Amino acid sequence: MLMLQFADVGIGTITSGWTQLQALTTADLRSRVGMKVAGGSEGANYALTQTSGSDGGAIILALSDILAGQTPVSDTSTAGSGATITTPSVTPLGGDDFEIRFVAALAVTSFTAPGGWTERADVASGSACAGTCATRVLSSSGATGTANFTANTTAIDRHGYTITVSGKPDASGRRLLVASSVAVHRGTW
């Protein structure tokens, strides 16, 4: 599983059982991406902490047969201007890797993913901050290039994460499991 957690004031330590891959802090936005290899008896919810009075949210993606025994390739960026949030380029481990881009920004409520990407979640905490996630399957082991997400308005602070993971899809070709219940894979507080 991969998780983006973001908040305008502060986020606590990462939830027990999760490993932090990357984190960013700018003037008015804090975010992190974590991973967890799911066991046979995962709970229905995960408790995430943040600073009292903070607005924030989280997105959790469950990936099938990808992360076991391997650390994902990841990088961060605070690039972009206006309503553009730029996620960084990474060099994946293989040509059929699965690519995930997470974005968090302050003073926006929604995003549009770049062309060729499948948006998986768009989460807003009122008008304070928002996060999104988009994915795609790679067809080359070359550098992925940057990708620009567009916010619905000018972002004050912006965080972009790029992650690639290796693995073979299952017999149905699935790599990503997105829960049918909104509460399972995204939420705000």
Side-chain angles (χ1 to χ4, degrees):
M1 294 184 291
L2 291 171
M3 167 187 60
L4 168 70
Q5 181 183 7
F6 58 92
D8 62 349
V9 176
I11 51 180
T13 59
I14 194 155
T15 300
S16 178
W18 290 80
T19 301
Q20 185 167 295
L21 294 176
Q22 297 281 353
L24 284 169
T25 298
T26 51
D28 295 309
L29 184 64
R30 285 91 177 126
S31 66
R32 77 166 131 244
V33 170
M35 71 174 264
K36 180 181 193 306
V37 176
S41 59
E42 290 298 319
N45 298 297
Y46 296 97
L48 306 175
T49 61
Q50 67 181 35
T51 303
S52 178
S54 189
D55 286 317
I59 299 168
I60 296 176
L61 298 178
L63 303 160
S64 173
D65 298 324
I66 295 180
L67 296 176
Q70 181 236 96
T71 300
V73 174
S74 63
D75 200 4
T76 64
S77 172
T78 58
S81 64
T84 301
I85 299 94
T86 302
T87 55
S89 178
V90 299
T91 301
L93 295 174
D96 67 344
D97 282 10
F98 193 67
E99 186 175 13
I100 302 104
R101 305 264 178 147
F102 286 113
V103 166
L106 191 66
V108 304
T109 58
S110 66
F111 302 90
T112 301
W117 290 83
T118 301
E119 187 173 304
R120 301 295 179 175
D122 209 9
V123 176
S125 179
S127 60
C129 55
T132 193
C133 176
T135 64
R136 71 178 179 171
V137 176
L138 296 174
S139 58
S140 165
S141 60
T144 60
T146 60
N148 292 321
F149 287 72
T150 305
N152 66 315
T153 188
T154 298
I156 295 174
D157 279 349
R158 53 192 53 84
H159 295 178
Y161 295 88
T162 302
I163 302 159
T164 62
V165 292
S166 298
K168 303 284 185 235
D170 65 16
S172 68
R174 290 184 313 171
R175 290 174 178 258
L176 176 67
L177 305 175
V178 178
S180 58
S181 168
V182 169
V184 174
H185 70 280
R186 58 186 179 204
T188 62
W189 50 80

